Amino acid sequence: MADTVSYRPKAGEIPTQPGVYRFRDKNRRVLYVGKAKNLRARLSNYFQPLRSLHERTRRMVTTAASVEWTVVASEFEALQLEYTWIKEFTPPFNVQFRDDKSYPYLAVTLGDRIPRVMVTRNRGVKDARYFGPYTKVWAIRDTVDLMLKAFPVRSCSDGVYRRAELTGRPCLLGDIGKCAAPCVGRITPEDHRGLAEDFVSFMAGNDTKYIRELNDKMKSAASTMDYEAAARHRDAIQALEAAMGKSAVVLQETVDLDAFGIAHDELAAAVQQFIVRGGRIRGVRSWVVDKELDMELGELVETVLQNAYEGADVPPREILVPELPDDTAELERWLTERRHETSGGSVSDPSATRGRLSGRVELRVAQRGDKAALAQTAEMNAKNALVLYKTRRSADFVARSKALSDIQEALGMDEAPLRMECYDVSHLSGTNIVASMVVFEDGLPRKDQYRRFSIPESTDDTESIYQVITRRLAYLKDDAPIETDPVAAGTGRTDEPFADDGGDDPTIDVDAELAEAAEKRRRKFSYPPNLLLVDGGQPQVAAAQRALEESGVQGIQLAGIAKRLEEIWLPDSDFPVILPRNSDALFLIQRLRDEAHRFAITYQRSRRKRDIGTVLGEIPGLGPSRVKELLKHFGSVAQLKQATPEQIAEVRGVGPTLAAAVAERLAER
């Protein structure tokens, strides 16, 4: 018998946050749903040697074919989601919950003369303010118990309250400080109603306000040495903070919505979609999309929604997104049409069975309350998915070795590419042209050997590639120039010389030390790559091939990777090399390309920011504070360039003479 199952995930791939996990069989049926405070610690218990597992657990693990997980904000949310999915999927290995009647609610009877806090399953109490529904009665009772320490509102039944009024003696809650005891006149009905309204306001989301006020009261009491009052305020703060940690809310039964969380960087974006129908999370979808250069979050939201609803999936009437796109109205119209096109109903959408497929689709950014908490949870899962996506592209030693071997075979190389270099060009509408060089050795990045290049003039990307490869290959010759730019390791270096006046200390031979350090860096830079990659297709490869032939350097395999179809192009080849999708070899080349792309973008952006500040800083009388004020006033460099001297002179601290100098200097660029 094998020690464990074949689908066991790597320990580093499993997050350490709270969450819910699902085991599925080969037909994707859910076999078991469980929750965990720490997903990594909990799931590791299932992947111990099979002989050490309990018989029932071993049967479940060996029957399953995969495991997946969803991260949530707290252990209590994990409990709620576990309950929801057990009811939804009825997994055969789970103990089934018996109570299937209704969810409990927290209610405050504001319609009563003396409002009362209670836990109930009855939604018909007149003029009551409801919170919930919740999945566990004990959980909401714990929350109420904590809340009463800060807001001692009446929670007893009508019979107990009347008996206390008649006897003049409060119940136990009044004696221990969890009720203000309006029954015996310790507090007026008006003041008690104020407590109840504060309770409602706190539960509705105004929690930080009360905690801040209690903090001020505690500090004030401590400063006057009223330590007993300070201790009461401290206990109330602790109770409210504990209640905030426990109060995760399930949406109302009438709520149908989709919540999208998006985590993105310069190159990729991970999307998490929570599908809520009838107030319950019915499903979760996640995927990763390629992100273009400088693509804003709003544009990304538009692409995500188009991909999410282009098939048979029915858009709900409400969609929560992290940011509204510029063409929100048009996108809502398209989604509404998609919703009406599916008016025949959809098995995957429970709302179809209730005839609720009419109406307009609305995009919203949740600001507060239960929906905002749900949106934050979706975003948290998206961030975790993006980290997982990046992690899976960095395999272990065995996977890296296989990837290098597969690349060698696919490209027809004599030996595995133990050292690979990749180049990418970045520019802004043909200006600020820069390039990057990243190095991978044994399948791992060598950031101390990254380089960056400034390209003064170039007609197009192919010419830029030619210049960069020519400059890089020059270091492989015996008469190579000495690189002396001391940019910190890990952030990259340019190949341009760095001037130094040698210092003032006659006892130190600065020139000799600089030369020695530069020679060491040049030796690193002069290591020839086994594989030289450029970001692009046939034109870029042809430009790099021309530079390689002119340099006379031999023994370097050249290739290009076209991003759209992930094709590998070799010199003088009419057809690309296609690596298998999801193969370790393709992941490694993609990661190399993405790293070069990221490094080039970072350098290009830093130059853009530095350039405008440097240009304006050269104007006499225009210091850093005035430069900052100019950019703040106009909002962008483009707006500043279009401004007249009179408009520039309106900025605080900038007079007519200085404004004219700024306009003249910017007109020269």
Side-chain angles (χ1 to χ4, degrees), residues 476-530:
L476 299 179
K477 300 178 182 179
D478 294 336
D479 57 348
I482 296 179
E483 177 204 6
T484 55
D485 174 27
V487 180
T491 60
R493 304 183 177 87
T494 66
D495 68 334
E496 300 168 354
F498 174 77
D500 197 297
D501 60 6
D504 298 325
D505 188 349
T507 63
I508 300 176
D509 189 351
V510 178
D511 289 338
E513 291 188 356
L514 280 176
E516 182 180 356
E519 179 61 27
K520 290 181 180 179
R521 287 194 294 272
R522 187 182 73 172
R523 286 198 297 269
K524 286 184 178 180
F525 198 41
S526 64
Y527 293 152
N530 302 106

Side-chain angles (χ1 to χ4, degrees), residues 203-219:
M203 291 296 295
N206 298 319
D207 38 38
T208 56
K209 166 190 170 185
Y210 292 101
I211 292 179
R212 185 168 57 250
E213 290 177 354
L214 285 172
N215 265 308
D216 293 339
K217 291 179 181 178
M218 180 181 68
K219 293 176 181 178

